Amino acid sequence: MKRFSCIFVVVFLVLAAWPANNISSAQDIGLGLRAGTTGIGGELGFSITPRLIIRGHFTAISQTVKEEEVGDDPKMLGSGKAKTGAIMGFLDFHPFGNSFRLTVGAGKNQFDVSASVVPAENVCFGDKNQQGVCDGKEMTPERLGTLSANVTYPSSIHPYAGIGFGNLAYGRSTVTFLFDAGVTYAGSPEITLTNDGLFSPTTTTENVQTLNDGIESFKWYPVVSLGLGFRF
Amino acid sequence: MTSKRNSFLIVFMVAFGLTAAVSCDFQAADDAFNDFDIILGLDPINTVVSGVIVDSGSGDLIDARLTFSGPGASVLIDAYSDPLSSLHAESGTLTFGIRNSSIPTEGSPVEVVVTATAQNYYTTSREITISEVGEGFFELEMTRNDVHVPTAGTSGLSDSRVSTNGAGAIQQALSIQTQALASGLQAQLFVNVAQSSRPVTGSGAALVGGLSTDIRVFDSADGLGALPAAAKKSASGTSLALVGASFFRMSDSAGRVAVNFLTGSGKGGAACAANATSIVLTSSRADVISAIQAAGGSAAVDVYAYTPADGHNALGGTINASIENGLARLELCFGAAGAFNTALIGDASAGIIFTFALSGSSVSVQTLGNTVSVNNPGSAAINAVFRLVGPGINFSQDKTVPAGSSTYSLGTLVGQAGAVSLVQNGTYALSATLESGAPASVPVSGPASGSTSITLPASLGLVQFDFTVTMACPAGQKFEVQVSESSLDALQITYKAQVADAKWKALPSGAAANPVVTSGSVVLGGTLMMRPNTTYQVIGTLGDKSGSVTQTSPGAAGAWKINLPPKDIGLSCK
């Protein structure tokens, strides 16, 4: 999924580079509706000059996964919730005077990814006999407890760079199409685990470091967004 | 110009996007999730007790089922921190813990009664007193219920000469007697069967025809260790001062078991009446003889009847112990008006153990409150067996003693925290025995109070080993269930030299290091004083699971590494 997202970014960046019609209008304020990889939301834009627009942007979205079987030794039931969104400030620069623009910005990404897994069956501490019956000590799911994971990013302020089409605050028509493609630098994500049962040693920083080392390269968050703008 | 700029932007944006995409290392993430270990972490156990269940004759480990009772039973936990009330020690070794919220101290020890049952053995109990945080160790000896099995301090035999006529009357008088007194056997039993006396069951049914008789004597030295624990205590739980004990089982071919002999008149003067069947026990124990002499040559003795079939221990009467030919002599007469109330005897189907306990005004019930200062002249902690012997008592316990001087109560030291019957002015001695060499022994003037000092004997013939036991998966494998180090707190090592009179030992808590656990190995060890060039059996035990290996120690001090299969203690590899 993440690989797909990254490729998606590349494709849209290429598309975004194609030239568009020249801008010629007198409005200097606009409101936009947005949907994209940072969620659904809106934005407010002001034109400083016809080629320089300042935008305030807010989006949010969440996704919930309920009890799916994960793993096989032991079998676990996992559920999770991923929430993303952004409160950002953007500066759009229309270098050619048309709808194409370069955008930089900064803000706070509302990343909140959490998941929890509980054992779906007893875990045998020891051998199983030929009939598959535990010959050691069986730990019930209740005793093993819930293993919870949370993903955080080191910095709460995330810079953004990208390209786009559409001038939210300056143009002839009242309605304009908006498209953005870019990346937010979020820094290396960090997974923290907690447990209320016997999985405690699993949650130690030392043990979780294996996971964090594996996702260290996921510093960039791809942003693709479509929208409709209304100029006033 | 515009076209050039657009081309430049396309290149720039493609490069920018590719950078973002390529920087996501999906393979590394996939590997990380595959390598990630789910690790189980059981609660740490601060105090762990390990034990061995052994045959009192051969010293072999016994497959036994254990139950735990007593005031401290509620704080017992198994190796996985679950409450513990029973356990099947299939290989004869076990470990368990004490809940961390309970902190055993000298002043507030955890007292537990371990009761072991095993096929062909008397059900046996022993009290364990844990008086400090760390590791404890106990040995529970069980005695075969077959009277022919050689057991220290006992002697037994079977006899089939007795028979009755159709009316149930014994046809011919005879005496059945155990082995004569010897250095390792300080009691002898005589069963004098009187002609015409009538053996009857508890319900009064006569035994008819040829009779089988099993008898066994238990002296008040090693023999006390072979007695079921319940046979050594009164109804109130007081440890009795037992002069000796006798097992008796007489049965006919129909399975009827005698509990009494009618047609006798019981005790008549100094001896049983001529037509009374009797049991006579003689003892050569000096402390017993001295106690009887101190009582004026005739000491009161309570007679109990312990029935192994139901664990019932009935106080049935009192007789007098006397001195005859320099030996203590006890005579129990059967009969319609015998000195013992046989109606109180429980289920006699597995026989009866009559015990003889010193009583009367010269005996008082007290706790072993004497303060003992133990001096370990060595530089490291060492295991020693402490034993208190005296008139009718023989208590012992294996204890780890740190270097230097330590102070314990006598009861804690010998594993007898409860009430004990003590003979006024009796002769008591405390001894300490190391793994090899002669014991050190000191008199204890008053077991109930006062103070005693004992210095451990030199550890002759022992050398210091850096002893490590490794339980590792084969190369390339790791434990199926990953566990933290604290999860293996209850993993203990016990060992025994394969030489005569050697006893099982546990790694002393002061010497043993905590287990070092990786994803595929557990290493446990410590610094130990052991015999060089000696074959040892080494056992790793976690709860009721254990692995064993037999290996010869190196010829000189240094490292000694032993491997055990982890699967045996419940850690399977994959």
Side-chain angles (χ1 to χ4, degrees):
Chain A
M1 180 63 192
K2 286 188 176 177
R3 183 188 293 279
F4 178 75
S5 301
C6 286
I7 293 168
F8 202 59
V9 172
V10 176
V11 171
F12 273 92
L13 288 174
V14 172
L15 288 174
W18 295 114
N21 294 332
N22 287 344
I23 298 168
S24 57
S25 183
Q27 284 89 345
D28 58 5
I29 190 167
L31 282 172
L33 298 174
R34 285 283 189 173
T37 55
T38 59
I40 299 168
E43 59 187 8
L44 180 64
F46 296 95
S47 66
I48 299 168
T49 70
R51 293 190 180 210
L52 200 61
I53 307 297
I54 188 167
R55 278 190 290 135
H57 172 101
F58 171 80
T59 51
I61 193 169
S62 67
Q63 173 76 26
T64 302
V65 179
K66 284 186 180 175
E67 293 211 334
E68 284 187 1
E69 202 169 278
V70 292
D72 56 359
D73 196 17
K75 277 184 187 165
M76 310 278 273
L77 290 175
S79 56
K81 187 178 177 185
K83 182 183 168 190
T84 185
I87 301 171
M88 305 285 285
F90 294 123
L91 191 65
D92 297 334
F93 174 57
H94 296 260
F96 313 121
N98 59 10
S99 66
F100 174 77
R101 54 184 156 79
L102 300 173
T103 301
V104 293
K108 182 172 172 60
N109 267 342
Q110 308 287 301
F111 295 131
D112 185 4
V113 181
S114 59
S116 63
V117 290
V118 292
E121 58 190 5
N122 287 356
V123 172
C124 178
F125 191 104
D127 263 350
K128 288 182 178 174
N129 64 20
Q130 289 179 335
Q131 286 74 43
V133 177
C134 181
D135 193 29
K137 183 79 174 183
E138 283 210 313
M139 305 289 181
T140 62
E142 291 75 23
R143 187 162 180 212
L144 291 164
T146 302
L147 188 61
S148 303
N150 195 45
V151 180
T152 56
Y153 287 85
S155 170
S156 55
I157 302 296
H158 303 147
Y160 170 87
I163 60 168
F165 291 101
N167 188 324
L168 179 61
Y170 196 87
R172 278 186 303 179
S173 59
T174 306
V175 179
T176 183
F177 170 76
L178 300 170
F179 170 77
D180 277 88
V183 288
T184 296
Y185 180 78
S188 296
E190 187 177 341
I191 296 173
T192 51
L193 297 177
T194 54
N195 172 247
D196 57 1
L198 298 184
F199 288 127
S200 260
T202 307
T203 66
T204 61
T205 308
E206 191 180 47
N207 195 50
V208 179
Q209 192 59 44
T210 309
L211 291 180
N212 286 327
D213 288 347
I215 60 170
E216 192 182 13
S217 63
F218 288 73
K219 299 172 180 174
W220 302 88
Y221 186 79
V223 176
V224 177
S225 173
L226 291 171
L228 212 53
F230 303 93
R231 303 185 184 110
F232 305 102
Chain B
M1 184 66 186
T2 301
S3 173
K4 277 185 181 175
R5 277 191 302 194
N6 285 347
S7 298
F8 170 76
L9 277 170
I10 290 168
V11 172
F12 171 76
M13 290 306 164
V14 168
F16 185 73
L18 280 174
T19 302
V22 169
S23 69
C24 301
D25 188 346
F26 293 95
Q27 187 58 51
D30 195 37
D31 290 346
F33 278 89
N34 287 335
D35 292 345
F36 182 66
D37 286 325
I38 298 283
I39 304 172
L40 276 183
L42 298 170
D43 295 333
I45 304 174
N46 296 337
T47 303
V48 176
V49 179
S50 55
V52 290
I53 317 300
V54 299
D55 182 298
S56 58
S58 65
D60 293 341
L61 295 167
I62 300 168
D63 174 350
R65 292 182 184 276
L66 308 179
T67 56
F68 301 90
S69 58
S74 62
V75 300
L76 298 189
I77 50 176
D78 65 13
Y80 313 95
S81 297
D82 281 336
L84 177 70
S85 59
S86 63
L87 183 150
H88 183 191
E90 227 170 318
S91 58
T93 64
L94 69 146
T95 66
F96 60 88
I98 291 170
R99 203 176 292 286
N100 290 343
S101 56
S102 178
I103 301 169
T105 62
E106 269 286 313
S108 177
V110 172
E111 295 165 25
V112 181
V113 177
V114 182
T115 302
T117 56
Q119 199 170 13
N120 301 323
Y121 287 86
Y122 292 128
T123 296
T124 306
S125 301
R126 75 161 289 173
E127 188 176 298
I128 300 166
T129 304
I130 303 118
S131 58
E132 59 192 354
V133 173
E135 278 98 39
F137 175 74
F138 72 93
E139 180 176 284
L140 195 154
E141 291 187 340
M142 298 186 77
T143 303
R144 280 191 177 272
N145 52 23
D146 178 348
V147 297
H148 303 101
V149 175
T151 304
T154 78
S155 170
L157 60 89
S158 295
D159 185 282
S160 57
R161 293 174 294 164
V162 180
S163 63
T164 62
N165 60 21
I170 287 173
Q171 292 179 304
Q172 186 179 0
L174 60 91
S175 178
I176 307 167
Q177 49 193 272
T178 60
Q179 181 189 324
L181 297 172
S183 60
L185 179 64
Q186 299 178 67
Q188 187 176 14
L189 180 66
F190 302 82
V191 176
N192 300 316
V193 182
Q195 188 175 15
S196 300
S197 68
R198 292 175 48 232
V200 292
T201 65
S203 60
L207 277 66
V208 179
L211 306 183
S212 299
T213 308
D214 289 340
I215 65 170
R216 186 185 228 174
V217 68
F218 300 78
D219 71 16
S220 64
D222 290 335
L224 293 186
L227 276 176
K232 295 187 278 189
K233 292 202 170 189
S234 69
S236 64
T238 299
S239 288
L240 301 168
L242 295 180
V243 175
S246 62
F247 173 80
F248 174 75
R249 186 176 189 274
M250 180 179 278
S251 62
D252 65 8
S253 58
R256 288 180 284 253
V257 178
V259 300
N260 200 2
F261 292 81
L262 303 179
T263 324
S265 59
K267 190 91 171 172
C272 292
N275 60 349
T277 291
S278 63
I279 284 175
V280 177
L281 187 146
T282 60
S283 170
S284 61
R285 286 283 300 177
D287 52 13
V288 170
I289 293 167
S290 140
I292 295 169
Q293 283 170 336
S298 177
V301 170
D302 287 339
V303 184
Y304 290 79
Y306 174 77
T307 41
D310 61 1
H312 187 59
N313 195 28
L315 171 58
T318 301
I319 62 173
N320 284 323
S322 58
I323 307 290
E324 280 189 31
N325 300 323
L327 300 175
R329 176 185 169 88
L330 301 109
E331 187 171 23
L332 174 65
C333 310
F334 292 101
F340 191 89
N341 183 358
T342 55
L344 298 175
I345 295 176
D347 179 358
S349 59
I352 306 163
I353 296 175
F354 292 103
T355 60
F356 303 94
L358 289 168
S359 61
S361 59
S362 64
V363 175
S364 59
V365 176
Q366 298 181 74
T367 55
L368 301 176
N370 188 293
T371 303
V372 182
S373 172
V374 181
N375 180 35
N376 173 6
S379 58
I382 195 163
N383 281 342
V385 176
F386 291 91
R387 182 179 298 275
L388 177 70
V389 294
I393 64 168
N394 189 344
F395 303 128
S396 67
Q397 181 172 249
D398 190 300
K399 194 159 185 66
T400 302
V401 182
S405 185
S406 308
T407 303
Y408 307 92
S409 78
L410 182 59
T412 300
L413 202 58
V414 298
Q416 190 63 42
V420 177
S421 294
L422 296 173
V423 176
Q424 205 172 14
N425 299 320
T427 306
Y428 294 89
L430 174 68
S431 65
T433 310
L434 302 186
E435 190 175 344
S436 72
S441 183
V442 293
V444 179
S445 55
S449 60
S451 61
T452 305
S453 179
I454 187 168
T455 298
L456 297 185
S459 50
L460 295 173
L462 303 182
V463 296
Q464 187 168 300
F465 289 116
D466 292 326
F467 182 72
T468 54
V469 179
T470 302
M471 287 151 271
C473 291
Q477 292 190 12
K478 59 185 187 178
F479 294 134
E480 200 159 345
V481 177
Q482 299 288 306
V483 293
S484 63
E485 288 185 357
S486 68
S487 306
L488 298 178
D489 279 348
L491 174 60
Q492 297 289 300
I493 302 295
T494 47
Y495 60 94
K496 181 187 173 188
Q498 305 287 288
V499 297
D501 299 330
K503 293 277 189 183
W504 283 99
K505 306 275 182 193
L507 281 186
S509 58
N514 288 328
V516 176
V517 182
T518 68
S519 61
S521 73
V522 180
V523 181
L524 194 64
T527 304
L528 280 184
M529 300 295 290
M530 300 171 87
R531 302 169 194 247
N533 275 329
T534 304
T535 303
Y536 276 87
Q537 185 179 1
V538 179
I539 298 180
T541 306
L542 180 65
D544 56 0
K545 301 267 180 265
S546 66
S548 172
V549 68
T550 300
Q551 209 171 88
T552 301
S553 59
W560 183 16
K561 295 181 178 178
I562 284 177
N563 293 308
L564 279 174
K567 186 178 177 188
D568 293 350
I569 59 161
L571 294 173
S572 42
C573 304
K574 64 174 181 181

